Amino acid sequence: MILRHRLRNAFHPSPGAQGRGNGPTARASDIILVMMAGLLVIAAIFKILQG
């Protein structure tokens, strides 16, 4: 749900969202989200491998 909301905002930005370096901050938050998802996947695989 949150990811869908973020993707919709990224593809259809509001008219006032273009100012003051909004792009880099959005990209940084996307990178953090991807890293957190990757950590969750790695933790799940580790638990499965450990039994």
Side-chain angles (χ1 to χ4, degrees), residues 38-51:
L39 283 175
L40 283 175
V41 170
I42 291 170
I45 291 173
F46 190 70
K47 281 193 167 197
I48 290 171
L49 287 178
Q50 291 236 331

Side-chain angles (χ1 to χ4, degrees), residues 2 5 7 13-15 17 19 21 25-26 30 32 37 41-42 44 49:
I2 296 172
H5 177 68
L7 285 175
S14 58
T25 55
D30 285 345
I32 291 170
V41 170
I42 291 170
L49 287 178

Side-chain angles (χ1 to χ4, degrees), residues 3-49:
L3 185 62
R4 196 175 298 162
H5 177 68
R6 279 189 178 272
L7 285 175
R8 207 175 20 191
N9 279 352
F11 289 127
H12 304 290
S14 58
Q18 296 290 339
R20 275 194 316 174
N22 211 6
T25 55
R27 271 186 227 118
S29 66
D30 285 345
I31 290 172
I32 291 170
L33 281 177
V34 169
M35 286 172 58
M36 286 174 62
L39 283 175
L40 283 175
V41 170
I42 291 170
I45 291 173
F46 190 70
K47 281 193 167 197
I48 290 171
L49 287 178

